[in-house]
Amino acid sequence: MLSSCVRPVPTTVRFVDSLICISSRSFMDLKALLSSLNDFASLSFAESWDNVGLLVEPSPPHTVNTLFLTNDLTEEVMEEVLQKKADLILSYHPPIFRPMKRITWNTWKERLVIQALENRVGIYSPHTAYDAAPQGVNNWLAKGLGACTSRPIHPSKAPNYPTEGNHRVEFNVNHTQALDKVMSAVKGIDDVSVTSFSARIDNEEQTRISLNCTQKALMQVVDFLSQNKQLYQKTEILSLEKPLLLHTGMGRLCTLDESVSLATMIDRIKRHLKLSHIRLALGVGRTLESQVKVVALCAGSGSSVLQGVKADLYLTGEMSHHDILDAASQGINVILCEHSNTERGFLSDLRDMLGSHLENKINIILSETDRDPLQVV
């Protein structure tokens, strides 16, 4: 009897220990969390006009136990945030976009900022960084089409140049010229990296000089070379481009493995987005039985991204009236699902991906009140 009474004790101890261990892991420092979020999808992917990143920061130090995901941060959603005692809101759309000249109780966006700060809740928005990311919103939207291959419509560029500087200058130096003097001069200019190699031109041994430099250094390099007409006349100046990023960028051009009718594609999209209705503009000469092989899509507002793209179907949340007419005149069908309906479903996938990426160190919850403001009545 004694031994049977003793056995459960280690199990109980281990259970308590595990609870203590989980509790001790159930938060992250805000700055560490922001770094991890950027590792998940770099804010450098975002469009230059966008307002992304940490928008509201409680006074440090600030720890995060619960991360709250929403597509839009409205006052109704903020009430839910406070009820659930979240420490950081990840709002896909930035609630602060245009500059604020004052923080008062007069407008709903100002009230959001006040409530966040008073309750020590941070606000973070990734917006177009998540649009462009390989595992982001547009990639999720494409999953509803069926088996297909896809690529970004407008690929993103790397944030930095692969080498120092954004210009390359190349010229040849005859061995009879003062090679050491030339090399010494260009190496003495700041922000310049120099390489050289042998080259045979017109049966003459020469040295090819190749250097990368910044815009500021380029002026000094050109000034030096212009002092030697023989060097200057044979100088090539190249403007370097940042490399394109694989699978990263705005929109997706999707080619289905097998063509399907437009009616079948409509059913797939409704099922993926959990919608009972969508808006459809038939392309000129098209019917519901017309075949769809190539789909160009853009979550949210797709006019600027989809314009001029050749496809059987455009899929987006909203487009301007005249852009729809232009697409239809080219025989392109257009499906509109309302802006945030093409984005919100991604948050369920995001919760799972972030949970894995953050090693389940914090609680991640989805808003239950966030919804598209437009309804079909």
Side-chain angles (χ1 to χ4, degrees):
M1 290 294 294
L2 179 61
S3 60
S4 63
C5 292
V6 171
R7 283 196 198 98
V9 174
T11 304
T12 305
V13 170
R14 283 197 296 271
F15 176 68
V16 172
D17 285 346
S18 67
L19 287 179
I20 293 172
C21 185
I22 291 171
S23 176
S24 67
R25 296 200 311 265
S26 61
F27 66 86
M28 291 182 70
D29 175 74
L30 176 61
K31 294 195 179 302
L33 175 55
L34 294 177
S35 178
S36 292
L37 289 175
N38 197 63
D39 289 340
F40 173 76
S42 174
L43 292 178
S44 65
F45 296 162
E47 296 290 280
S48 59
W49 49 262
D50 207 357
N51 191 35
V52 296
L54 185 63
L55 306 184
V56 174
E57 179 183 10
S59 58
H62 185 63
T63 55
V64 177
N65 174 269
T66 299
L67 176 63
F68 184 98
L69 307 183
T70 184
N71 202 78
D72 292 291
L73 181 57
T74 62
E75 290 189 280
E76 184 180 8
V77 172
M78 179 59 85
E79 287 182 17
E80 183 187 0
V81 169
L82 300 182
Q83 288 172 359
K84 294 180 177 176
K85 302 186 184 305
D87 308 292
L88 179 66
I89 302 165
L90 188 155
S91 177
Y92 167 73
H93 285 136
I96 303 173
F97 191 76
R98 297 182 180 89
M100 291 182 170
K101 293 187 176 181
R102 57 184 60 82
I103 305 295
T104 70
W105 205 248
N106 288 335
T107 68
W108 69 278
K109 289 194 174 183
E110 292 175 57
R111 290 193 291 272
L112 289 177
V113 175
I114 292 170
Q115 288 181 293
L117 290 173
E118 286 182 342
N119 291 276
R120 292 190 58 75
V121 179
I123 301 176
Y124 174 92
S125 177
H127 199 203
T128 52
Y130 278 12
D131 288 346
Q135 74 282 29
V137 182
N138 284 304
N139 189 63
W140 166 81
L141 186 57
K143 289 180 180 179
L145 304 179
C148 65
T149 56
S150 68
R151 61 176 177 82
I153 294 173
H154 299 288
S156 297
K157 292 183 178 180
N160 301 307
Y161 292 93
T163 60
E164 183 179 6
N166 54 359
H167 290 84
R168 177 169 295 164
V169 180
E170 295 189 348
F171 56 92
N172 296 328
V173 177
N174 295 329
H175 285 293
T176 55
Q177 295 173 327
L179 176 60
D180 292 342
K181 181 180 179 181
V182 171
M183 291 291 287
S184 177
V186 294
K187 287 182 177 179
I189 300 173
D190 292 336
D191 299 324
V192 170
S193 60
V194 185
T195 58
S196 63
F197 52 91
S198 298
R200 188 171 184 83
I201 301 175
D202 296 331
N203 293 321
E204 182 182 6
E205 288 292 334
Q206 298 186 11
T207 300
R208 183 73 169 172
I209 307 296
S210 178
L211 57 90
N212 293 334
C213 62
T214 62
Q215 178 71 37
K216 181 180 178 180
L218 176 64
M219 303 304 293
Q220 299 179 60
V221 171
V222 170
D223 180 62
F224 166 73
L225 293 175
S226 64
Q227 297 173 26
N228 186 318
K229 289 184 178 181
Q230 189 173 0
L231 290 179
Y232 189 63
Q233 289 174 354
K234 296 182 179 180
T235 296
E236 296 179 354
I237 301 176
L238 307 173
S239 180
L240 302 180
E241 291 284 341
K242 294 177 180 178
L244 299 179
L245 296 175
L246 191 64
H247 308 308
T248 307
M250 294 300 159
R252 293 293 184 270
L253 187 64
C254 307
T255 303
L256 300 176
D257 290 357
E258 295 184 6
S259 300
V260 297
S261 69
L262 177 59
T264 297
M265 182 55 67
I266 290 172
D267 288 340
R268 289 181 180 181
I269 291 168
K270 284 182 177 179
R271 187 163 54 249
H272 185 57
L273 301 184
K274 297 180 173 60
L275 296 175
S276 58
H277 297 84
I278 53 92
R279 291 191 287 167
L280 170 67
L282 281 171
V284 172
R286 303 294 186 258
T287 70
L288 289 177
E289 296 308 313
S290 296
Q291 294 296 294
V292 174
K293 178 70 173 179
V294 179
V295 180
L297 63 82
C298 177
S301 181
S303 288
S304 61
V305 174
L306 301 178
Q307 192 170 36
V309 178
K310 293 183 179 180
D312 301 311
L313 171 66
Y314 286 174
L315 169 62
T316 186
E318 59 180 332
M319 284 178 67
S320 74
H321 174 77
H322 296 288
D323 287 336
I324 295 171
L325 291 178
D326 285 342
S329 71
Q330 301 171 59
I332 301 172
N333 305 299
V334 178
I335 290 179
L336 305 181
C337 306
E338 307 309 344
H339 189 112
S340 67
N341 288 337
T342 57
E343 304 162 336
R344 185 170 289 102
F346 166 70
L347 296 180
S348 295
D349 281 13
L350 177 64
R351 176 184 56 192
D352 296 337
M353 288 188 289
L354 285 181
S356 176
H357 181 72
L358 300 174
E359 300 176 339
N360 297 311
K361 292 178 181 177
I362 59 174
N363 302 315
I364 303 175
I365 58 177
L366 285 178
S367 174
E368 298 177 7
T369 56
D370 174 43
R371 60 183 180 276
D372 195 274
L374 291 172
Q375 301 179 49
V376 178
V377 295

